[in-house]
Amino acid sequence: GEKALDVFSNFFISPLFTKGGTQREVQAVDSENSKNLVSDGRRRLQVLKSLADEKHHYSKFSTGNKITLPASISEDSSDNSAAAGTETATAPPEKHPLEDIMKGINDGEYNEADTAEFVRAALLAFHERHYRPKNMTAVMVGPQSLDELEAWVVPRFGQIPDRWLNRDEDGDAENDGDGDTTNTDNSKKWRAMKRAAARLVDESSGDAPPVSIQDSVEPSSAFRPELQGGKWPVVVTTKPIQSVRKLHLLFPLPPSWQDPDQSPTSLLSHLFGHEGPGSPFAALQDAGYITSLSAGNRLSGPDQALFQIGVSLTAEGEAHWQDVVKVIFDYGRMVCRAAEDTMAAEEGDTCKNGENELRRIWDEAAALDRIRFHQTSPGAVYSFAPAVAQSVSKHGPTTCLSAGSGLNENSDTLPLEDTLKFCERIIPENCFVERCSDDAWKEMEAMYEGKQNESKNEENNGSDFAFGKHTEKWYGVDYYVSPVDEKDVLRWETGADEVALHLPKPNRYIPRSLDLCEDLPEEAKVQRIEKPIEPPQLIVNKPNGRLWWRLDDRYALPKSKVTILLRTATAENKSQPMADPSSDMRWDYNAKTSMQSRFLTSIFSDALAQDTYDSYLAGLGWSLSKSSSGFTLTCSGYSDRLSDLAIKLLSDFSHVDGSADETFLKESHFITTKDKIVRGLKSYLGSQRADTLAMYYRNLLLTSKGRGVMENLGMAETMELTDVAKQHQEIWTDDNMVVDIFYTGNVSQKEAEGFFDKTMAIIERTRSKVLQERAAQGKYSPWVPGPFERRLPPGEDIELHFASNNPKEENGAVIVTYQSQVEGFKGKSLSSEESLQQSAAIRLLCKMIKVRHHL
């Protein structure tokens, strides 16, 4: 560790910044940027920046490329071949960003090599201006004592010089050597470059506000109605690469950077983003309009905040996107009324039932934040250290760990007035709408076909903005900006429709107790990270079910995790008769069955979203997945309510009879699931990055049981709800089903055994009901197809070449796979000791190659 710190600290004490290193890094930056060109998220980000005030720091290009950082010299360039204004291989068609600066350095004469040198001069100046001791926060995390860590850090980082403070009039830092021991060029041109670069860096250093909450910053939003013609709302429409239907409402709000514990935005995020009954999500999901909803700050800085409410639409929701927007504005008015009623009641001291709901919700959210703060381990040091460093820079060392955790918040500390002020800005006239879908794009093409961009009104408020089609500067993304129909705006501004919207009810999943298990010895009630992890114990071993259990004695946290595996061949296979009628039937992989199971798990997740959202807020997570082994239900979180959640989910999944209101297999959830799966498969080959496609084709050759995306697409398009319901019934007819449960964490053996008994009772009850209605099943072979890998012919090389169908992809990819002829180790009962040694040797070799590559 100490040797690694020596290397790391010297990055700041004496960095090289060689010419070759600078050029390689620019190439890496440009490669990373080209990868981003096919990311819908990055493309939408650039469109958002293009809507911002061009004088605001947020509008700047945030990554860079070979045009903005022309530090590489093309092969056909010559030192004397280009003069002022000559377009180079890396320059854009329009005026280059560095042209004016370069003209002023050497009497108007410059070439590509000069531009590359100036980028390096700017890099040195940027480092000298910003990488200074007074700007630095060093966080050291490790198992050593604080005294030892301090002894490591202080002598090393204390050597970092303030190069900017020690610069001479020519722009040279004291004992700097230009940062490159190989550089001997001290020409007049190079010094002029360094002075110009220093001025450029210094002038731009104040563009963005300081991040520390100790600094006073005037609010300055990058987004204002006058930038889009003077009046909002407007609609911004982009065409996605992937098959998505996104709708976002964006609202500039005052910054709440200074006090994250008292941020009204956090309460609005909680309310608008809630997915339980009475929420916008619940109303819109029940209407079949959306599949997901989120709310929170799109931007949050010392000078501005941009609040975003985003939804993923169904096909029906796309056709009724104005109705989706109306529900969100209706909910905003309801929250405003709740805040107004609370304020009026408190001023008159006549609070009635329900008028303190906002205070209850604030208190509940603060209580959950406090639980998370006190009952969460720091996590991996690689992510913990930079997170703390950022927090120290913003909040200072005293509250760097606790800021935003609500440690001192309760119902009495609700910022009611500010909450009302913020909520009053969730209105159409303070909103711009973003639509991102193929259908939305076609609407705009039809609207503006044959038309030139048109201004909003005759005067246009002195702006050169015009409605119509625009092109973003750096990614070349086309987008439309269009007005909203006045009738729609009027609907959004008026009273609510008959939609059941209400504030969240009390959360029934908040843990009642955070006590550690009584079976833990006293010495295990404090964290013992150094203690070796012991394997779980097999405490129940029956023909139809097994239970593994382990009581956590290392982390001393009131958390547990339970995994239930319904081990059944019916998840991906169909039974087939053997050639010999007297033999057992065999299981064969069936792509349609596998797709039906995929639909089943997705429908279940969609159907339970509203009912289990409170459990998510209370620190409980769950998932249901299928594999060649069967169906896996996993639940994790605070142990007090964990078993209740798991039993509820298992009961709901095993419910195979009853009315349409009782089953999760509803037509609305099926339509949503089918739409997501079909769109994902349709756009897969034409929207993925080159490296993702390379891995897809490699896996299709070696490990895929089916025939790939197109076969799956055909089955998904013809899928019916009855097919999924039949597959759901089929699961419980498997006589060979075995239930494997692994329960670990803050749970006693008695509790784990009780949970096992409840689980088996639910499963046996379901199986009995299904089997009573079925004819006797034939006997199956106990062997079930599992994961596999095709063996390639020894000594032969196979090459696969595919062209990307993604029209925006500029990169290529090469994946080389070496297949070992040694059979992998599969456990002592299935593999030999020699196989274990050979597998370990291959893993070690791979690790050595990886480490060598990174060096």
Side-chain angles (χ1 to χ4, degrees), residues 233-303:
V234 296
V235 179
V236 180
T237 305
T238 57
K239 183 179 181 180
I241 293 177
Q242 294 186 330
S243 181
V244 297
R245 302 188 195 98
K246 297 289 187 181
L247 175 70
H248 293 89
L249 280 66
L250 298 110
F251 306 87
L253 295 179
S256 52
W257 184 265
Q258 294 287 328
D259 192 352
D261 289 316
Q262 280 276 296
S263 171
T265 309
S266 65
L267 180 59
L268 295 183
S269 301
H270 175 76
L271 294 175
F272 280 94
H274 206 280
E275 296 182 10
S279 66
F281 171 83
L284 294 168
Q285 187 193 44
D286 291 344
Y289 287 169
I290 70 171
T291 60
S292 65
L293 183 148
S294 62
N297 274 335
R298 180 70 172 84
L299 306 174
S300 180
D303 59 340

Side-chain angles (χ1 to χ4, degrees), residues 211-214 257-258 260 390-400 403-404:
V211 299
S212 174
I213 62 173
Q214 304 300 324
W257 184 265
Q258 294 287 328
Q390 291 180 3
S391 188
V392 171
S393 299
K394 178 181 176 182
H395 302 289
T398 304
T399 60
C400 62

Side-chain angles (χ1 to χ4, degrees), residues 559-563 634-637 639 642 742-747:
K559 296 182 178 182
S560 301
K561 181 177 182 179
V562 61
T563 300
T634 301
C635 300
S636 61
S639 50
L642 183 67
F742 177 34
Y743 209 152
T744 182
N746 186 49
V747 57

Side-chain angles (χ1 to χ4, degrees), residues 261-466:
D261 289 316
Q262 280 276 296
S263 171
T265 309
S266 65
L267 180 59
L268 295 183
S269 301
H270 175 76
L271 294 175
F272 280 94
H274 206 280
E275 296 182 10
S279 66
F281 171 83
L284 294 168
Q285 187 193 44
D286 291 344
Y289 287 169
I290 70 171
T291 60
S292 65
L293 183 148
S294 62
N297 274 335
R298 180 70 172 84
L299 306 174
S300 180
D303 59 340
Q304 67 168 339
L306 186 65
F307 189 70
Q308 173 180 281
I309 301 171
V311 298
S312 294
L313 298 167
T314 63
E316 189 74 9
E318 182 73 70
H320 296 86
W321 69 269
Q322 298 95 332
D323 297 328
V324 174
V325 174
K326 176 168 173 53
V327 169
I328 293 172
F329 282 127
D330 287 347
Y331 191 80
R333 281 190 294 273
M334 186 201 70
V335 175
C336 281
R337 286 196 302 271
E340 291 168 347
D341 291 345
T342 301
M343 290 180 66
E346 291 178 354
E347 288 173 359
D349 197 24
T350 58
C351 283
K352 301 176 183 178
N353 290 336
E355 291 174 345
N356 276 327
E357 283 297 278
L358 286 178
R359 293 197 179 276
R360 173 190 61 78
I361 293 168
W362 178 266
D363 184 64
E364 189 177 88
L368 290 171
D369 285 342
R370 288 194 297 272
I371 290 174
R372 277 190 287 270
F373 177 79
H374 290 297
Q375 305 298 337
T376 301
S377 296
V381 295
Y382 192 75
S383 57
F384 181 69
V388 174
Q390 291 180 3
S391 188
V392 171
S393 299
K394 178 181 176 182
H395 302 289
T398 304
T399 60
C400 62
L401 296 179
S402 62
S405 298
L407 298 187
N408 300 311
E409 301 302 310
N410 54 51
S411 60
D412 294 331
T413 64
L414 168 67
L416 187 57
E417 291 186 14
D418 285 342
T419 298
L420 179 57
K421 291 178 181 177
F422 276 51
C423 194
E424 287 174 340
R425 298 185 182 223
I426 308 298
I427 55 177
E429 65 186 49
N430 187 48
C431 172
F432 61 97
V433 180
E434 179 197 0
R435 298 180 66 194
C436 181
S437 69
D438 288 328
D439 288 342
W441 185 258
K442 290 176 183 177
E443 286 180 30
M444 292 298 102
E445 286 185 318
M447 178 185 296
Y448 287 98
E449 184 178 6
K451 298 180 182 179
Q452 293 185 348
N453 288 2
E454 54 190 24
S455 60
K456 186 144 190 170
N457 51 52
E458 293 181 3
E459 295 80 12
N460 209 27
N461 294 324
S463 170
D464 59 357
F465 170 80

